[in-house]
Structure formats: structure tokens, C-alpha cells
Amino acid sequence: MSNDRAKTRYNDAELEEFRQLILNKIAKAEKDLKAIQESFLNNQSNGTDDTSPTFKAFEEGSETMSKEQNAQLAGRQEKFIKNLKNALIRIENKTYGVCRETGKLISKERLKLVPHATLSIEAKNKQ
């Protein structure tokens, strides 16, 4: 483990491993985003014209809620994808996995869980 401390960056083989991990996460995230967007479009087209007015009022309230939730989910997913794509740029620049606060390497364990992380656990905890 002391070997990792002396390193200033991950080697090309390690960066390639992270690149594959991130590409897989982007593919899944984009698929999830598409599902969220399709769900949102389906909600808009499902009319409740044939139901009673009282039920319709409740339905519209929950429909508004789910539209807001869908919009929030979609926004989060888009941000996640953007962060992952930024991580790919850091891999190209060979700066991936370096904490932007301390300049030390972020642990592989952390990067496998949060591949778009730009802070080490120590720096994150100080925030």
C-alpha cells in the first residue's frame, strides 16, 4: 500500500480500467435517463377524461408530483452523466484520480464506488 502513497498518478493500464468502468456507467446512466424521459412522456399522454371529477383532481395532483419528481430525476441523471464525461477528460489528461484539494491519489476503492470523484475522503470530510 505504501507504493500507492508515493505515486503521483495512476498508470495507463489503471486509467484504462477506470475508463472502461466509466464508459459502462455512462451507458447505463444514459439508458436510465432515456427510461425516465419516456416515463415522463407516457405520463403526459395518459388522459383521465373518463374518470369522475373528484378522482381527476387527486390524479392531477399526483401527476404534477410525478412530473416534478421525473424532472428532478432527469436533472440528477444528466448531471451524473456530465460528471462521468468530465472524468473521461481527466483520464485523457492523465489527471484522473488526483484529489483537487490535496494533490494526492484518491483511493481505488473510492474511485470504483464514485468514479467521478475529484476529492479524496480526507478532503471530502473537511468540507
Side-chain angles (χ1 to χ4, degrees), residues 80-122:
F80 180 54
I81 292 167
K82 183 178 174 228
N83 287 337
L84 288 171
K85 288 183 175 176
N86 288 340
L88 286 178
I89 293 168
R90 291 193 299 279
I91 287 174
E92 294 304 313
N93 297 339
K94 300 190 189 304
T95 58
Y96 178 80
V98 178
C99 177
R100 63 185 159 90
E101 290 287 317
T102 66
K104 295 177 184 169
L105 277 187
I106 299 169
S107 74
K108 277 187 181 182
E109 294 75 26
R110 174 157 168 73
L111 289 171
K112 283 182 178 166
L113 291 173
V114 188
H116 56 285
T118 58
L119 292 172
S120 63
I121 290 290
E122 301 88 328

Side-chain angles (χ1 to χ4, degrees), residues 9 27 31 38-39 53-55 57 79 87 104 106 111 115 117 127:
R9 75 170 188 87
K31 189 177 156 195
E38 283 172 2
S39 164
T54 314
F55 184 71
K79 185 180 175 197
K104 295 177 184 169
I106 299 169
L111 289 171
Q127 283 190 328

